[in-house]
Amino acid sequence: MPFLKNLLLRLHGLIQRYPWVMPVYGFISGLAGFFLVERQAEFAKVIAILLLVSWLWLMLENLFNQGLERWFGLQLPPWLLRFATQMVHQQSLFFVLPFFALTTSWDSGQLVFTGLLGLCALLAIIDPLYFNWLAPRRWLYLAFHSLTLFAALLTALPIILHQTTAQSYQLALGCAVLLSFPSLLGTLRIRHWWRWLALPGLSLALLGAGWLARPWVPPATLWLSEVAVSSQMNAGQRTPGQTREQLSSAQLKAQGLYAYTAISAPRGLAERIYHVWRHNGKVVDRIALDINGGRKEGYRAWTNKRNFPADPSGKWRVDVVTDGGQMLGVLRFRVDP
């Protein structure tokens, strides 16, 4: 294997000489993957599968390295494994970030999740921070690794399996916790019996925390392309009338109100969403919408509300949420006395 060894040494020399090339490559390839997914639904599956295969290799890199040494007498240098791990992190983060940037409700707790992904992407492309600050801190590195894997699964699974957002969230969370188990096992360095009990407890805690955090996690493959609050709706053309941000109590009771949403997805749509009507922060109605199919401009759906409180004045909002409790967006309007 002299040729392969010389090739690896040359690659190492190029990386050391031009360290800025790989972060740029990770950034460009991630964004290119997003735009290809958005435009080519079939090609989306290929990109998503390659992303998950790279993560599977990452989890089995030790077994792979042992097999190479046993059967071919070749051991991959540690720097190459570190480089491959960093590349998987970079490409995964820059692939998923545009999805989450589109789907995040920036005036909600989802800002925290997407902000953490952005911070992770920044850490992944700055070598001194990634190798000298993040990697030596095993607990922090495990959290970084698990969050990146969870975001990648949350984006890739609906594209590959055509699941609803609720199903993909459950599967992504379960897989992320399961695949982080070997890293957790190595981090704990179990030498006492009580640490064996702590290991499943920590895994269950991660699972529970991830489940409770659903409203803070944007649905990566669904986003609102158009919204409107209107007193009129053209059902034939499926278009709303003039958008209303403020109206009187008399107008509201006389005409009612429509909440209109157009929902886009690169994989098509087949699930249930809800329009949750809130008056001064209190839920007054929850209306289900079954959406099927999909189009470039988004699947158009609306709810019409005519029953209002005796005094409807104040601040109103309509939360658009998935069946699994993830928020797609918010429509706001105000009613004057």
Side-chain angles (χ1 to χ4, degrees):
M1 298 287 179
F3 173 76
L4 184 56
K5 290 182 178 180
N6 289 333
L7 185 63
L8 291 176
L9 289 174
R10 287 185 179 182
L11 177 63
H12 188 211
L14 287 173
I15 293 171
Q16 288 184 323
R17 188 173 180 180
Y18 305 105
W20 54 268
V21 172
M22 300 319 299
V24 172
Y25 169 75
F27 174 75
I28 293 175
S29 61
L31 288 184
F34 166 74
F35 287 114
L36 288 171
V37 165
E38 193 179 30
R39 286 163 174 75
Q40 298 290 336
E42 289 302 320
F43 194 62
K45 292 184 180 180
V46 177
I47 295 175
I49 289 172
L50 288 175
L51 187 67
L52 293 187
V53 167
S54 65
W55 272 99
L56 183 62
W57 177 85
L58 196 62
M59 302 307 300
L60 301 176
E61 62 179 5
N62 288 333
L63 292 177
F64 180 74
N65 203 19
Q66 290 173 5
L68 280 179
E69 186 177 11
R70 179 180 300 174
W71 297 104
F72 301 102
L74 177 66
Q75 187 174 13
L76 296 178
W79 66 261
L80 182 61
L81 296 177
R82 292 196 302 269
F83 163 74
T85 302
Q86 185 187 24
M87 277 302 304
V88 171
H89 285 153
Q90 287 178 0
Q91 289 192 303
S92 299
L93 287 164
F94 285 113
F95 175 73
V96 304
L97 264 177
F99 284 99
F100 286 102
L102 275 175
T103 59
T104 297
S105 297
W106 294 101
D107 56 350
S108 70
Q110 292 179 351
L111 170 66
V112 176
F113 183 85
T114 306
L116 282 174
L117 285 182
L119 180 61
C120 288
L122 187 64
L123 289 174
I125 63 174
I126 301 177
D127 288 355
L129 289 177
Y130 182 85
F131 291 111
N132 301 331
W133 182 76
L134 180 66
R137 293 167 170 80
R138 299 305 301 172
W139 280 100
L140 191 59
Y141 186 75
L142 174 60
F144 171 90
H145 186 77
S146 300
L147 180 65
T148 306
L149 174 59
F150 175 60
L153 289 170
L154 204 58
T155 307
L157 290 178
I159 297 172
I160 298 172
L161 304 178
H162 291 271
Q163 294 181 318
T164 66
T165 52
Q167 292 170 335
S168 62
Y169 189 94
Q170 295 170 11
L171 186 56
L173 181 60
C175 289
V177 172
L178 182 64
L179 293 177
S180 67
F181 193 85
S183 300
L184 193 62
L185 185 65
T187 302
L188 280 177
R189 297 176 183 175
I190 297 177
R191 296 173 183 173
H192 303 285
W193 65 269
W194 61 268
R195 291 197 174 187
W196 284 104
L197 298 178
L199 190 61
L202 285 172
S203 298
L204 288 175
L206 283 174
L207 199 62
W211 183 252
L212 292 175
R214 284 171 299 154
W216 288 36
V217 180
T221 52
L222 289 178
W223 61 84
L224 296 178
S225 56
E226 186 181 357
V227 297
V229 175
S230 178
S231 301
Q232 297 176 332
M233 177 64 63
N234 188 325
Q237 296 183 0
R238 303 176 71 87
T239 55
Q242 182 182 1
T243 299
R244 307 295 297 268
E245 295 181 359
Q246 191 169 354
L247 66 163
S248 68
S249 297
Q251 290 174 321
L252 186 68
K253 291 181 178 180
Q255 301 174 355
L257 207 61
Y258 292 90
Y260 168 87
T261 52
I263 303 172
S264 296
R267 61 173 181 85
L269 298 167
E271 60 182 279
R272 172 169 288 189
I273 65 169
Y274 293 88
H275 283 183
V276 182
W277 293 70
R278 296 177 183 268
H279 178 218
N280 294 326
K282 181 181 179 181
V283 176
V284 295
D285 213 344
R286 182 182 175 91
I287 306 175
L289 286 170
D290 291 315
I291 52 179
N292 295 282
R295 49 198 296 275
K296 184 178 180 181
E297 296 80 8
Y299 184 87
R300 295 169 292 181
W302 61 87
T303 54
N304 180 213
K305 184 170 175 58
R306 291 189 175 273
N307 298 320
F308 292 92
D311 180 14
S313 60
K315 295 180 179 179
W316 284 80
R317 57 181 280 179
V318 182
D319 295 340
V320 186
V321 299
T322 68
D323 196 27
Q326 292 175 271
M327 183 179 293
L328 281 168
V330 179
L331 295 79
R332 289 184 171 87
F333 62 97
R334 184 177 182 85
V335 178
D336 296 329

